[in-house]
Each structure stands twice: as C-alpha cells, then as structure tokens.
C-alpha cells in the first residue's frame, strides 16, 4: 500500500462511481486507490476498511493507512465529528486539512487588513434576540447553514414596516408578522446552526443574481495557481446563483464589461484575480496548515463594489466545464492528484 492513494468521502453507493478518480491517480503513477468513509477508519488498529481499485477491478478489503490521502467528502453534522478525528490523526496524512465551518473561516478572514474592506457584516445566530437585532440593523439578511455547501438551505429574510418576508429557492415567498420573528428563527435553528450575513443587491441588469467563483489549486510543483474564474448567474427569481440550482456560467471579463463598462469591468476583473492570488497563502499561514484547493466566491453589488462572500475548501468544477470546456475541466480535476503525488514523493525522500 506504499504507493496507493487514499480517498476519503462521505458515502459510497457504488465504488465504480469513483473510477474517474482511480484513473486520475493511475495517471500520476499511483498503483491504485482505496476509497473509504470516516466510519471505515480504525484509529486504534491503524487500518482502513474500504474499496481498493487495482488492475482494473474493485475489491473490498482492509488495508494499512496510505501514505497520502485526498478528502473529497461533504459531511453532515452526524458524521462531522468522526471525519474531524480522522483528519487530526497524525498517522493518516492528507493533501489538505479542514478550515472549519463558515463562522470559523470568517474569523480568520477578518484578521487580514487587505481583506477587511471586502467583507460583509457576518455573525453566527445563536439566539432569537441576536437575529432580531441583526435584521433591524441591516433590514435584509441572508441566513446560511454554517456547514452547508452548494447553496443548500440559504434563506433571505427582509424586514418591512409591519412584517418580514422569507425567501428560499424553490419555495414561494412567505410573509409573516413581526411577532413571529422569534418563533421563526428558533424553528430554523432546530435544523442546524446558521450564520447571518448582510444582504447586498447583486442582481444584474436583467434582475438575475450573479457572483464570481475563482478556482485556485496547488499544482504538481507545489505552487498556487488560479485554474479558472467564472461568473455564475442564477435563474430568474432565484436568490442564489448556484449552478446546480439551474444557473449558468460565463466568462468574467466580458460579462463585467457588459454589466458596467470596459474600464470598470477590467478593474473589477483584476481585483478578482488579486484577491484569488492572495487568499490561499494567507489561509495556510493563518491556519498553520496545508491546503490543496479553494473555491473563492465574490460578488459585485449594483454600485459596482466588490465583496468576498465566502471561501470553500471543496469547490465544484462545473463552471470550468461550462466556461473553459471539457479538456480544461479534466485538467482541473487532475491537479489535486498531481499535488498528492508531489507530497508523496517529497515525503519519500
């Protein structure tokens, strides 16, 4: 198992769904892969129970820890603790380590004087009173699950004179009396912890929400690269721009020049590139940890001001496919495997 790549994920319906991962590992001269969940890791015996791909076939078996591992999973609250324990194990080495939930990530971002002008007012909602005060201060806010991904569970809440309005993708807007604010937020919090963030108007001239995703990856030489950037435009009436919710992807510079003007569009495009280059080394230094790839989400309001929405440790690559084409998308998929190979070779010397 010295030359096998470990791949940890949240669930395995069928190992063959990871064939593309196995092929990418083989292309980087790994002898095979073992795909497993955190529940398949025995921290006492130092063994993994998972699906091994070698010589073109899968087999379920127990194996010793691989020398290097990729973590591609998205873990719900129920399995988050076990996944965290696995990642903290000194014997099980990963190409990258966690950044924590959205609130913890925000607490690191605000330490940067460079990033502070781009950050929205953001707090974790712990009590109904905190929610009511934040809503009164900002009038319209976004509620986000602190361990959420893919735009799931995001809610916009807007305060009006005699009521408040709740909007969520795929659901009709809900108008509630002000007296229901406390019971409403307590109901939301029963479904998991949330942060609240000031809402900004990031709709384009057609009224569609749009933001910008920058995919940054550590390559086979150990250097950070911006693999691609893309505008994500949501469907009409949606409150998020997520591609999985029916959004579309567009080339950044052309889109921004069309929305604003050539000079402003070019300046914003350059600022996006600058922030994307800055964040990865800053986060590694701030966390004192190793990272492999990040999805950096930015937005531009109707006044042309650039904002940093959030940083994701496991970004999707659908925007690469839509904007840059299949070959570029496949290359972006390969980069984490090239970085894994580099780390393995470095540790073997």
């Amino acid at each position: 198992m010295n030359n096998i790549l470990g791949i940890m994920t949240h669930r395995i319906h069928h190992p063959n769904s990871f064939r593309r991962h196995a092929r990418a590992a083989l292309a980087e001269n790994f002898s095979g892969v073992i795909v497993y969940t955190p529940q398949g890791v025995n921290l006492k015996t130092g063994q993994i129970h998972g699906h091994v791909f070698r010589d073109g076939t899968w087999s379920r078996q127990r194996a010793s820890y691989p020398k290097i591992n990729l973590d591609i999973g998205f873990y719900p609250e129920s399995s988050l603790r076990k996944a965290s324990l696995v990642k903290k194990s000194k014997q099980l080495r990963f190409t990258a380590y966690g950044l924590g939930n959205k609130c913890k990530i925000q607490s690191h971002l605000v330490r940067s004087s460079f990033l502070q002008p781009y950050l929205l007012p953001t707090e974790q909602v712990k009590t109904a009173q905190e929610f009511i005060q934040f809503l009164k201060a900002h009038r319209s806010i976004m509620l986000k699950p602190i361990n959420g991904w893919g735009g799931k569970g995001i809610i916009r809440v807007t305060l009006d004179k005699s009521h408040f309005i709740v909007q969520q993708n795929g659901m009709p807007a809900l108008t509630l009396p002000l007296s229901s604010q406390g019971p409403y937020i307590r109901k939301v919090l029963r479904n998991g912890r949330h942060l609240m963030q000031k809402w900004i108007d990031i709709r384009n001239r057609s009224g569609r929400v749009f933001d910008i995703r920058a995919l940054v990856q550590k390559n086979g030489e150990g250097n950070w690269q911006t693999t691609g950037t893309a505008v994500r435009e949501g469907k009409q009436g949606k409150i998020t721009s997520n591609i999985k919710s029916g959004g579309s992807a567009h080339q950044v510079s052309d889109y921004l020049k069309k929305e604003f003007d050539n000079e402003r569009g070019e300046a914003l495009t350059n600022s996006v590139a600058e922030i994307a280059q800055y964040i990865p080394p800053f986060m590694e230094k701030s966390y004192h940890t190793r990272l492999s790839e990040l999805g950096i989400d930015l937005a531009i309001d109707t006044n042309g001001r650039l904002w940093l929405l959030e940083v994701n440790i496991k970004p999707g690559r659908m925007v690469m496919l839509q904007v840059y084409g299949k070959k570029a998308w496949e290359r972006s998929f390969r980069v984490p495997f090239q970085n894994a190979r580099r780390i393995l070779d470095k540790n073997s010397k």
Side-chain angles (χ1 to χ4, degrees), residues 286-299:
S286 182
Y287 274 85
H288 304 289
T289 194
R290 184 168 66 203
L291 300 172
S292 178
E293 59 180 347
L294 296 171
I296 299 170
D297 293 342
L298 303 113

Side-chain angles (χ1 to χ4, degrees), residues 161-288:
K161 292 181 181 179
S162 59
H163 55 269
F164 67 102
I165 303 165
V166 176
Q167 295 171 274
Q168 193 169 0
N169 281 341
M171 300 176 66
L174 187 64
T175 301
L176 298 170
L178 294 180
S179 58
S180 297
Q181 291 178 91
Y184 171 77
I185 193 61
R186 283 191 285 270
K187 181 180 178 181
V188 170
L189 294 179
R190 281 199 293 270
N191 295 324
R193 295 176 293 169
H194 284 65
L195 62 78
M196 44 192 178
Q197 190 172 68
K198 178 183 177 180
W199 177 84
I200 52 172
D201 192 347
I202 56 173
R203 290 172 291 190
N204 64 13
R205 294 181 182 182
S206 301
R208 296 172 184 262
V209 169
F210 78 96
D211 63 15
I212 300 167
R213 160 62 61 87
L215 174 63
V216 288
Q217 298 176 300
K218 190 174 285 184
N219 60 28
E221 287 73 49
N223 301 317
W224 285 102
Q225 65 181 40
T226 301
T227 304
T229 57
V231 167
R232 301 183 301 184
E233 183 184 272
K235 290 182 68 175
Q236 193 74 41
K238 295 282 188 178
I239 65 171
T240 64
S241 63
N242 194 264
I243 299 295
K244 290 184 178 179
S245 299
S248 56
H250 308 270
Q251 201 274 339
V252 173
S253 180
D254 291 346
Y255 191 98
L256 296 184
K257 287 178 180 178
K258 183 179 178 181
E259 278 299 312
F260 300 96
D261 57 53
N262 285 350
E263 184 178 354
R264 185 60 182 155
E266 184 175 353
L268 286 166
T269 301
N270 291 336
S271 294
V272 167
E274 186 180 14
I275 294 172
Q277 290 170 1
Y278 173 85
I279 286 178
F282 165 76
M283 296 297 273
E284 285 190 314
K285 184 176 180 180
S286 182
Y287 274 85
H288 304 289

Side-chain angles (χ1 to χ4, degrees), residues 118-179:
Y118 301 103
L119 298 175
L120 291 163
T122 304
E123 296 178 16
Q124 182 175 348
V125 53
K126 297 178 181 177
T127 67
Q129 188 59 38
E130 287 176 342
F131 167 77
I132 293 169
Q133 289 176 351
F134 196 84
L135 183 59
K136 284 181 178 179
H138 300 292
R139 309 304 294 180
S140 190
I141 66 176
M142 301 294 277
L143 287 170
K144 301 179 179 181
I146 64 172
N147 290 312
W149 67 89
K152 295 179 180 178
I154 294 179
I155 304 167
R156 181 185 172 191
V157 182
T158 304
L159 189 62
D160 208 335
K161 292 181 181 179
S162 59
H163 55 269
F164 67 102
I165 303 165
V166 176
Q167 295 171 274
Q168 193 169 0
N169 281 341
M171 300 176 66
L174 187 64
T175 301
L176 298 170
L178 294 180
S179 58

Side-chain angles (χ1 to χ4, degrees), residues 8-46:
M8 187 169 79
T9 187
H10 50 290
R11 66 175 179 265
I12 306 170
H13 288 314
H14 195 285
N16 211 41
S17 60
F18 298 92
R19 181 172 286 270
R20 189 158 58 95
H21 298 77
R23 287 174 176 168
L26 293 174
E28 300 305 325
N29 294 318
F30 286 96
S31 60
V33 300
I34 179 168
V35 181
Y36 60 94
T37 66
Q39 287 70 29
V41 179
N42 191 320
L43 295 171
K44 294 181 179 180
T45 65

